[in-house]
Amino acid sequence: MKVIINQGLKKYTIVIEESYSVKDVADIMETLTEIPANSQKLIYKGRMLQFEDKIANISLKEGDKLMLLGRKHCSEEQASLQEILQIEKSVDKQEKRLHELQAEVEGIQKGWLEGDILKESCANQQKKAKAMGEYFMQLLEKLDRVKTDNEHKSARLRKKSVINRIQVSLK
């Protein structure tokens, strides 16, 4: 059967079988639009279709229209996102270390250590805190070097989110 897929101002007519799944339709649309199938949302009669839905079960008929939502992923944006995700993993690890350091400091504040051990431990905690601050600053510098153009909205938002997390950790 022939169905019409509307994507923005563009219309595509495709031939599908009732045995197809929505994922099969998304795969066809990926070849036509270059929008990755996993980034697509197909809507029929106001309902977002799930990839596992079968065409026969959604009562799609000859000539019916579906709406396709989704965006192409630019290779530059994808590269920027990958860099940002690597930096975000480093932030995750550093935040975990920071929480461990905070727990150690709380233990010291509760008076679990005495005398020379207390002084040595405080000096050690100060060194760790300073090193963590420097590492967070290095991560900010790395993020600053990641190029994100105005049209790369998802990369820009992710970058901003990571920057905010680092800033909170530095406080």
Side-chain angles (χ1 to χ4, degrees), residues 27 30 38-39 47 53 67 73 83 105 140 167-168:
D27 289 338
E30 180 175 5
N38 60 356
S39 297
R47 182 179 145 245
D53 291 343
M67 184 184 306
H73 285 293
E83 284 184 72
V105 169
L140 280 173
Q167 289 173 334
V168 166

Side-chain angles (χ1 to χ4, degrees), residues 3 21 30-31 49 63 70 84 88 92 96 106 128 135 156 160 169:
V3 294
S21 68
E30 180 175 5
T31 60
L49 303 176
I84 293 167
E88 189 173 27
D92 291 340
K96 183 179 177 186
E106 287 173 9
K128 284 182 183 179
Y135 188 67
R156 280 193 354 263
K160 185 176 180 178
S169 295

Side-chain angles (χ1 to χ4, degrees), residues 1-16 25-36 40-43 60-72:
M1 83 174 86
K2 287 184 182 180
V3 294
I4 300 165
I5 312 279
N6 293 324
Q7 190 251 328
L9 298 174
K10 298 177 185 171
K11 292 185 182 198
Y12 301 90
T13 301
I14 62 171
V15 177
I16 59 172
V25 176
D27 289 338
I28 293 169
M29 293 311 298
E30 180 175 5
T31 60
L32 296 173
T33 64
E34 297 180 13
I35 298 172
Q40 295 179 25
K41 290 186 170 88
L42 286 163
I43 300 171
L60 194 63
K61 297 182 284 299
E62 178 84 25
D64 278 354
K65 296 178 182 178
L66 292 124
M67 184 184 306
L68 170 66
L69 302 176
R71 288 186 333 155
K72 294 180 192 178

